[in-house]
């Protein structure tokens, strides 16, 4: 049962449970789905502006939570953007926050943030769905997981110019209270910081995809601390960072979103080359069979953008991405891989 904040009553503390399609519950038809992404984010990242891109991506979550008066709503951070779900009475807050964040990104960060808003009903008309589940990363932090193909379809429609929200000409600045990028990047310790996107093709059954995703997850779970990209001991922050004690750092690491399900697996990991090879040996044949698309990007460091809600500071959330392009580069490589398969399939 979905409550007024888009949360199902049960939250799963074992991540593999959210790979099971049966645990997801449908959102009501009249609910709103918002999607944002930084236009030409890979260009900005290649010029070293990865922190700005991540900050713009997380800013809509901060702005919307502060405008809505609560962070108890369904959202997912995607590196260069975000997606969220709100009940219909959130229309004004969502529209205002989206416009403010787009204006802020342009004026303060020199980035173009594409913003879109549509209803679950419009998504279902296309034959897709939006269903959610909750993953309890810790006692104080839960993240929404999405399935049904609806967010992926909505993102593509918005990139094609549909459902766009036009930025306001005189928008006030968004309230980004609680959002920060104080930590310096975290270096790899086991081999590579890996950004991995894994999505099902339209015709594959959710059960077949779940089984494949669990095989991939098992490889990474075999690593120390499930291949968590944040160090287990307390890091030494840079000149912008703030020192925390062992208990505080443990809470930060526990409340981070290094694993999520967003119409597919979205992972930021610190893993060995052998683990990556094992996963590629699973994914390459599956892509050749037409079951999945995937993209992975290796880099030297992970980035963390933090959100400490003013209404519930114990529920601090920490959004992770790779420093060398992360999810944006993985998505680019996923598109290249899918295109390559099409070309090979039609080659004489």
């Amino acid at each position: 049962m979905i409550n007024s904040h888009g949360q199902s009553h049960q939250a799963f503390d074992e991540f593999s449970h959210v790979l099971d399609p049966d645990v997801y519950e449908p959102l009501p038809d009249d609910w709103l789905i918002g999607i944002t992404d930084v236009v030409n984010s890979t260009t900005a990242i290649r010029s070293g502006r990865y922190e700005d891109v991540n900050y713009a991506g997380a800013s809509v979550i901060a702005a919307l939570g502060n405008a809505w008066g609560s962070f108890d709503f369904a959202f997912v951070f995607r590196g260069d953007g975000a997606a969220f779900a709100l009940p219909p009475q959130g229309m004004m807050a969502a529209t205002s926050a989206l416009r403010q964040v787009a204006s802020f990104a342009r004026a303060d960060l020199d980035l173009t943030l594409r913003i879109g808003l549509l209803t679950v009903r419009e998504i279902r008309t296309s034959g897709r769905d939006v269903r959610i589940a909750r993953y309890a990363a810790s006692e104080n932090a839960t993240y929404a997981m999405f399935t049904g193909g609806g967010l992926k379809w909505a993102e593509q429609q918005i990139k094609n110019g549909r459902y766009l929200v036009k930025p306001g000409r005189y928008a006030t600045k968004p309230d980004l209270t609680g959002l920060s990028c104080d930590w310096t990047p975290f270096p790899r310790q086991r081999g590579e910081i890996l950004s991995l996107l894994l999505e099902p093709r339209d015709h594959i059954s959710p059960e077949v995809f779940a089984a494949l995703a669990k095989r991939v997850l098992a490889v990474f779970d075999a690593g120390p601390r499930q291949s968590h990209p944040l160090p287990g001991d307390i890091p030494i922050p840079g000149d912008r960072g703030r020192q925390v004690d062992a208990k505080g750092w443990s809470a930060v690491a526990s409340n981070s979103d290094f694993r999520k399900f967003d119409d597919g697996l979205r992972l930021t990991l610190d893993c060995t080359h052998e683990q990556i090879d094992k996963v590629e040996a699973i994914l390459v044949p599956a892509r050749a069979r037409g079951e999945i698309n995937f993209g992975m990007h290796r880099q030297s460091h992970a980035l963390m953008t933090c959100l400490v809600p003013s209404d519930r500071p114990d529920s601090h959330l920490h959004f992770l991405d790779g420093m060398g392009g992360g999810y944006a580069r993985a998505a680019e490589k996923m598109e290249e891989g899918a295109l390559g398969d099409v070309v090979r399939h039609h080659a004489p």
Side-chain angles (χ1 to χ4, degrees), residues 240-262:
R240 294 168 303 145
R242 46 197 170 79
Q243 188 66 55
V244 298
D245 58 18
K247 183 179 179 181
W249 177 248
S250 176
V252 168
S254 296
N255 290 16
S256 64
D257 70 340
F258 75 106
R259 301 178 300 177
K260 45 200 166 187
F261 197 90
D262 168 23

Side-chain angles (χ1 to χ4, degrees), residues 252-316:
V252 168
S254 296
N255 290 16
S256 64
D257 70 340
F258 75 106
R259 301 178 300 177
K260 45 200 166 187
F261 197 90
D262 168 23
D263 279 341
L265 267 184
R266 191 179 291 265
L267 307 173
T268 300
L269 306 163
D270 186 354
C271 53
T272 65
H273 299 287
E274 291 76 15
Q275 285 175 300
I276 296 173
D277 290 343
K278 284 183 181 178
V279 166
E280 282 191 309
I282 296 170
L283 297 182
V284 171
R287 184 172 63 189
R289 293 193 300 267
E291 296 174 351
I292 55 113
N293 289 324
F294 79 93
M296 56 173 62
H297 183 65
R298 310 175 194 213
Q299 55 243 299
S300 61
H301 290 71
L303 288 175
M304 183 165 69
T305 306
C306 304
L307 177 60
V308 182
S310 55
D311 62 330
R312 292 167 60 194
D314 288 345
S315 300
H316 48 93

Side-chain angles (χ1 to χ4, degrees), residues 1 6 16 20 50-51 60 76 95 101 113 115 146 164 169 199 220 237 261 276 285 287 291 294 317 320 326:
M1 186 66 132
S16 63
D20 181 355
Y50 36 80
E51 288 187 353
V60 71
V76 61
T95 303
V101 167
L113 192 67
I115 54 177
F146 293 84
L164 291 174
R169 185 177 297 179
E199 295 181 352
F220 295 123
F261 197 90
I276 296 173
R287 184 172 63 189
E291 296 174 351
F294 79 93
L317 306 171
L320 293 174

Side-chain angles (χ1 to χ4, degrees), residues 3-290:
N3 66 20
S4 61
H5 295 289
Q7 306 284 21
S8 55
H9 291 301
Q10 182 178 8
F12 300 93
D13 57 8
E14 178 61 50
F15 184 79
S16 63
H17 289 165
V18 302
L19 301 181
D20 181 355
D22 293 335
V23 306
Y24 287 80
E25 300 178 49
L27 287 176
D29 275 351
D30 59 353
W31 277 47
L32 304 168
I33 299 297
I35 307 276
T36 71
D37 74 291
V38 173
V39 178
N40 295 326
S41 58
T42 52
T43 301
I45 289 165
R46 286 190 177 107
S47 65
R49 303 192 58 214
Y50 36 80
E51 288 187 353
D52 287 345
V53 169
N54 272 196
Y55 195 79
S59 61
V60 71
I61 299 171
L64 185 52
N66 288 324
W68 184 240
S70 169
F71 287 86
D72 190 20
F73 64 96
F75 60 80
V76 61
F77 170 70
R78 295 169 151 193
D80 64 346
F84 63 84
L86 278 181
Q89 59 267 33
M91 172 65 87
M92 287 186 65
T95 303
S96 176
L98 287 170
R99 285 177 171 157
Q100 289 173 0
V101 167
S103 295
F104 159 78
R106 171 67 79 183
D108 289 43
L109 302 176
D110 193 27
L111 295 171
T112 299
L113 192 67
R114 183 165 31 216
I115 54 177
L117 200 61
L118 69 165
T119 64
V120 172
R121 181 180 292 107
E122 288 167 311
I123 290 172
R124 288 199 174 116
T125 300
S126 77
R128 278 77 170 180
D129 200 1
V130 184
R131 302 192 303 277
I132 68 169
R134 291 171 65 212
Y135 168 58
S138 72
E139 289 184 9
N140 293 316
T142 63
Y143 290 94
M145 307 283 135
F146 293 84
T147 193
L151 292 193
K152 181 182 176 183
W153 179 85
E155 179 184 25
Q156 194 56 57
Q157 297 303 306
I158 289 163
K159 285 183 175 180
N160 290 338
R162 299 184 69 198
Y163 308 114
L164 291 174
V165 176
K166 293 183 179 179
R169 185 177 297 179
Y170 305 109
T172 56
K173 285 205 168 189
D175 181 358
L176 301 180
T177 300
L179 187 66
S180 67
C181 294
D182 287 341
W183 296 98
T184 54
F186 300 93
R188 59 193 173 196
Q189 298 181 77
R190 303 182 189 113
E192 299 281 5
I193 297 294
L194 181 71
S195 300
L196 173 63
L197 297 178
L198 171 60
E199 295 181 352
R201 293 276 181 90
D202 286 344
H203 63 274
I204 188 176
S205 76
E207 292 74 20
V208 170
F209 181 75
L212 185 71
K214 286 179 181 179
R215 287 178 62 199
V216 169
L217 200 63
V219 174
F220 295 123
D221 280 356
R225 299 174 57 246
Q226 299 173 308
S227 301
H228 202 305
L230 298 183
D233 52 357
I234 306 170
I236 300 172
D239 54 0
R240 294 168 303 145
R242 46 197 170 79
Q243 188 66 55
V244 298
D245 58 18
K247 183 179 179 181
W249 177 248
S250 176
V252 168
S254 296
N255 290 16
S256 64
D257 70 340
F258 75 106
R259 301 178 300 177
K260 45 200 166 187
F261 197 90
D262 168 23
D263 279 341
L265 267 184
R266 191 179 291 265
L267 307 173
T268 300
L269 306 163
D270 186 354
C271 53
T272 65
H273 299 287
E274 291 76 15
Q275 285 175 300
I276 296 173
D277 290 343
K278 284 183 181 178
V279 166
E280 282 191 309
I282 296 170
L283 297 182
V284 171
R287 184 172 63 189
R289 293 193 300 267

